[in-house]
Amino acid sequence: MRTRGADGTDPAAVVQAGESPGRRGREGDRDMKASNLYPTTPGPGLLTHGISSGDGVESRVRNKSKWSLFSPAPAIQKSAPCGGFAPQKAYRHTSTEEEDFHLQLSPEQVNEVLRAGESSHKILDLDSKISNSVLRFESNQLAANSPVEDRQGVASCLQTNGLMFGIFDGHGGHACAQAVSERLFYYMAVSLMSQQTLEQMEGAVESMKPLLPILQWLKHPGDSVYKDVTSVHLDHLRVYWQELLDLHMEMGLNIEEALKYSFQRLDSDISLEIQAPLEDEMARNLSLQVAFSGATACMAHINGVHLHVANAGDCRAILGVQEDNGMWSCLPLTRDHNAWNEAELSRLKREHPESENRTIIMDNRLLGILMPCRAFGDVQLKWSKELQRSVLDRGFDTEALNIYQFTPTHYHTPPYLTAEPEVTYHRLRPEDKFLVLASDGLWDVLDNEDVVRLVVEHLTQEGRHKPDLAQRPTNLGLMQSLLLQRKAKGLHASDQNAATRLIRHAIGSNEYGEMDPERLTAMLTLPEDLARMYRDDITVTVVYFNSDSVETYYKGG
């Protein structure tokens, strides 16, 4: 069965027929868009060492908007998505209002669009005596929103051990996802610092000396925020480490505590930053957009064989496991926080009066409005009515900023939404081969087992097609021959990136799990104002583990 839009139409049929569907069923249920009001020039990031750069079940394709109820005001400005890829206008319609609607992508252009946002990175051993448990990671992103609302990040902690991977799925605009993707890793890194390191950090600030580098970005979320806002962020990060110093913990928080503290503290700071007076208008506007948009987050911290995953919302993380008999299985590491999670429904009912049991979740949404039950930002579901009015009455141009002033019908005992993550711990074993983190745009159309199967198929093809250069003389002639063979395969050449393979199958598979070229082309050709009816932004990171390294941990190596 084909994935269909909110009005039941088939994307392939729409593209083939040249129909201009307008905005049927869309205006009342589209994601709120936040215009991009800060510069898009990449910067070095905050307290960063190294180079930072932007990188380039049932199918619940119920209209993919996480927010419902409102239609958006026109954005005053749009810019290229940050940390992701927006198909070029040569390849994609920008409006369904165009009379000529016969654009088709060639197979080569399909591959070019799908692979434009992909990246891969091999993890180097920080200690020559100990091999890293992470071998490499691959990632990709395909936008449905314009600008894309998903973000991703990968960084290593320089003052503590560990790698961090994050997927951040924005809604109501990209501002909150951008802020969380830039800031959360710093809160986590500071949370894990020893008392001595925190004292060195504080001493450096007091004496106006350079700070110790905190992170090395391996994949930066992109878009450096306005510099005045960044200084506010650093001030709040400093307040946080000062409070940690006051706790007098010699070794810092443990990882589970650090993850929970980091999520909740950053969300609290996002809320407080717009309540505090800011003189700079751009800083005020950005802080308002961050607080009134939202983002779910799934973050993994890996240190040796210790894997912790923190999740708030409906992003997801799973492990691909190969048993001794060669069979593959899936180990889920997160649970979606939405109306289909009975434990989450029970939590919400415990936190509010019994009189609200029937109104907390309506139409499978929190208060009938929001699909995820945990998220950063979204202060409309956290603040009192009085606080919302007092902040919005400070002279903001809320229409230009796409800020929606509303009160849900049954809004009695806020907060209804939390950013507290659910943390899972897993001790890596040699049979744990890879970790997949992705936004819900992937999980809405592929189940856990499908994802594991596709990554395993990718690994199998990768091994089959890899030239055995150790057994053959390596020379330019051989390499040129291999490249020509690959080029001759054209469309049939397999993806070199597992994340790309997952995205390809997510939007291009038929009901039997087979690739449908017609469907794939149609999904990538949909105009910007129609694509969101059929699919969501999809962001995927696949992390491969070094089984030999993991095994040495158990042998005491």
Side-chain angles (χ1 to χ4, degrees), residues 256 259-265 267 297 310-313 337 344 347 351 373-376 382 417-423:
E256 181 175 351
L259 285 165
K260 289 185 175 182
Y261 273 66
S262 299
F263 272 62
Q264 293 179 92
R265 181 53 181 258
D267 190 54
N311 184 55
H337 298 130
E344 195 69 356
R347 177 188 67 81
E351 294 176 355
C373 298
R374 304 192 191 194
F376 287 88
K382 296 175 181 176
L417 190 66
T418 179
E420 180 181 359
E422 192 171 15
V423 179

Side-chain angles (χ1 to χ4, degrees), residues 391-397:
V391 169
L392 291 174
D393 287 346
R394 294 179 187 170
F396 290 103
D397 188 346

Side-chain angles (χ1 to χ4, degrees), residues 122 132 288 327 355 414 498:
K122 181 175 174 56
N132 205 306
L288 189 77
M327 299 296 291
S355 59

Side-chain angles (χ1 to χ4, degrees), residues 33-38 73-79 281 285 289 397-402:
K33 301 283 187 182
S35 53
N36 189 2
L37 295 185
Y38 48 87
I76 61 174
Q77 178 182 351
K78 284 187 178 180
S79 65
E281 181 181 2
N285 288 343
Q289 287 182 313
D397 188 346
T398 54
E399 182 176 352
L401 295 172
N402 290 331

Side-chain angles (χ1 to χ4, degrees), residues 112-123:
E112 185 176 342
V113 171
L114 285 173
R115 296 170 182 172
E118 68 181 19
S119 65
S120 60
H121 194 103
K122 181 175 174 56
I123 303 298

Side-chain angles (χ1 to χ4, degrees), residues 30-38 40 67 71-82 145-149 151 170-179 223 285-294 378 380 397-404:
R30 182 187 290 182
D31 277 354
M32 295 188 291
K33 301 283 187 182
S35 53
N36 189 2
L37 295 185
Y38 48 87
T40 58
W67 278 93
S71 53
I76 61 174
Q77 178 182 351
K78 284 187 178 180
S79 65
C82 322
N145 292 291
S146 180
V148 63
E149 294 180 346
R151 295 292 185 272
H171 50 265
H174 68 274
C176 187
Q178 179 65 37
D223 252 25
N285 288 343
L286 178 59
S287 295
L288 189 77
Q289 287 182 313
V290 170
F292 276 79
S293 59
D378 291 323
Q380 305 96 315
D397 188 346
T398 54
E399 182 176 352
L401 295 172
N402 290 331
I403 303 299
Y404 293 85

Side-chain angles (χ1 to χ4, degrees), residues 26 62 137 154 178 194 230 253 259 270 274 372 377 428 453:
R26 183 63 176 133
R62 46 194 183 256
F137 70 88
V154 182
Q178 179 65 37
S194 66
T230 302
L253 300 171
L259 285 165
I270 286 172
I274 188 55
L428 290 173
R453 173 180 57 81

Side-chain angles (χ1 to χ4, degrees), residues 310-524:
N311 184 55
D314 50 12
C315 296
R316 196 179 297 176
I318 63 171
L319 275 179
V321 181
Q322 186 177 30
E323 307 295 345
D324 292 338
N325 60 7
M327 299 296 291
W328 286 88
S329 62
C330 168
L331 179 62
L333 297 175
T334 59
R335 296 186 297 180
D336 297 348
H337 298 130
N338 55 27
W340 291 270
N341 182 335
E342 291 297 330
E344 195 69 356
L345 293 181
S346 297
R347 177 188 67 81
L348 285 166
K349 290 178 179 179
R350 287 195 307 270
E351 294 176 355
H352 298 276
E354 188 175 348
S355 59
E356 296 186 60
N357 281 359
R358 293 186 178 182
T359 59
I360 290 177
I361 297 293
M362 297 183 294
D363 298 326
N364 294 321
R365 295 172 183 258
L366 184 63
L367 297 183
I369 292 175
L370 189 65
M371 289 184 116
C373 298
R374 304 192 191 194
F376 287 88
D378 291 323
V379 294
Q380 305 96 315
L381 302 178
K382 296 175 181 176
W383 287 356
S384 67
K385 300 175 186 178
E386 294 74 21
L387 178 57
Q388 292 185 49
R389 280 196 296 269
S390 69
V391 169
L392 291 174
D393 287 346
R394 294 179 187 170
F396 290 103
D397 188 346
T398 54
E399 182 176 352
L401 295 172
N402 290 331
I403 303 299
Y404 293 85
Q405 301 184 58
F406 68 91
T407 301
T409 305
H410 302 283
Y411 197 77
H412 306 298
T413 56
Y416 290 91
L417 190 66
T418 179
E420 180 181 359
E422 192 171 15
V423 179
T424 302
Y425 170 71
H426 178 78
R427 187 177 177 89
L428 290 173
R429 309 157 297 175
E431 56 263 38
D432 299 324
K433 302 302 181 183
F434 58 83
L435 169 70
V436 180
L437 300 101
S439 58
D440 71 328
L442 182 77
W443 308 112
D444 282 336
V445 288
L446 294 177
D447 62 29
N448 294 352
E449 291 72 23
D450 286 334
V451 169
V452 169
R453 173 180 57 81
L454 289 167
V455 176
V456 171
E457 288 176 0
H458 170 78
L459 290 172
T460 302
Q461 289 184 0
E462 189 180 59
R464 185 185 304 135
H465 295 149
K466 190 174 182 179
D468 188 4
L469 297 179
Q471 303 299 322
R472 302 165 70 181
T474 305
N475 55 55
L476 291 177
L478 172 60
M479 297 305 297
Q480 184 178 14
S481 173
L482 293 170
L483 290 172
L484 289 173
Q485 290 175 28
R486 178 178 295 178
K487 185 176 181 180
K489 292 179 182 178
L491 181 63
H492 302 292
S494 59
D495 292 313
Q496 303 301 303
N497 184 302
T500 304
R501 182 185 183 91
L502 290 173
I503 294 174
R504 182 187 297 272
H505 281 261
I507 65 173
S509 293
N510 60 22
E511 60 182 338
Y512 305 108
E514 301 166 338
M515 282 304 305
D516 181 343
E518 174 189 325
R519 169 182 165 75
L520 178 63
T521 301
M523 292 291 278
L524 292 176

